[in-house]
Amino acid sequence: MATIGIIIGAMVMWGVALGLLGGALVNPWIVGAVGFGVAAIVFPLFLRTVAAGEHIGVWKRILRIGVYFLLVVPAIVSAIMGINLAGGRESVEVKAEIASKQTKKVNDYRRIGRNRRVYTGSHNDYYLRLRLPDGRGIDRRVNAGVYAVSSVGNKVTVRYHRGLLGMDVVDSVGRIEKPRKARKPHFRRRTRSEQ
């Protein structure tokens, strides 16, 4: 029962950490490295409880140390990103340019038994890479309709704010603004009475 609780707790913590990282304009590997570093620094304090017991084998100690890092790293990343999200300056609104469009094919499976899945087809996920005026990039998943009307070079309104720890957090991504084409001049036909 404890194993199931640990697995569910780890999944929830990683989900929260990845959700908070998804909206930030920061490299997730940097925040993950900071979280792992803090967990490694704090590790000697918990060494007695994590790897305690002389009757425990080497593999169980390694497993407990792995579980420690599996649970503590996302908790630290979530705390860092939560503190960053909690405060900060007012929002800034900028025009971002669509740098590229990507399509990823995802296979769909249907469960037919306890340990069996059957391939049922595939679908496409659509992504836009947005380039901010300062050169940073944002990847956004969009629906098929937005993907179809967008083209490279179009502008999108992006609103973000500087967090408490100095990392920018995206508040919202607006609608795609298509460049307006120059209209042809309208010539009115002359009627017979005017001729």
Side-chain angles (χ1 to χ4, degrees), residues 7 33 42-44 46 50 54 69 73 75 79 92 98 114 122 131 134-136 144 153 157 161 171 175 187:
I7 291 171
V42 175
F43 179 68
F46 294 101
V50 170
E54 296 177 11
F69 282 104
V73 170
V92 177
I98 298 176
R114 185 172 178 190
S122 63
R131 187 179 317 126
D134 58 4
R136 292 181 291 179
T157 304
H161 72 277
D171 295 330
R175 301 183 78 165
F187 293 107

Side-chain angles (χ1 to χ4, degrees), residues 44-63:
L45 299 174
F46 294 101
L47 187 60
R48 290 182 181 167
T49 58
V50 170
E54 296 177 11
H55 64 282
I56 296 176
V58 174
W59 292 111
K60 284 193 177 182
R61 286 185 187 181
I62 292 172
L63 180 65

Side-chain angles (χ1 to χ4, degrees), residues 28-41 73 76-77 80:
W29 291 104
I30 294 172
V31 179
V34 170
F36 187 80
V38 172
I41 291 170
V73 170
I76 292 171
V77 169
I80 291 170

Side-chain angles (χ1 to χ4, degrees), residues 2-16 70-72 74-75:
T3 306
I4 294 172
I6 289 171
I7 291 171
I8 291 173
M11 288 172 57
V12 167
M13 285 196 202
W14 279 105
V16 169
L70 186 69
L71 292 173
V72 173

Side-chain angles (χ1 to χ4, degrees), residues 89-123:
R89 301 183 198 158
E90 292 184 20
S91 295
V92 177
E93 195 171 285
V94 296
K95 299 285 185 188
E97 180 183 349
I98 298 176
S100 65
K101 297 168 61 172
Q102 294 177 340
T103 305
K104 293 182 182 176
K105 188 173 184 180
V106 180
N107 293 329
D108 296 326
Y109 294 93
R110 182 173 52 96
R111 188 174 178 178
I112 61 168
R114 185 172 178 190
N115 295 320
R116 254 186 95 194
R117 292 178 175 236
V118 176
Y119 175 77
T120 57
S122 63
H123 70 276

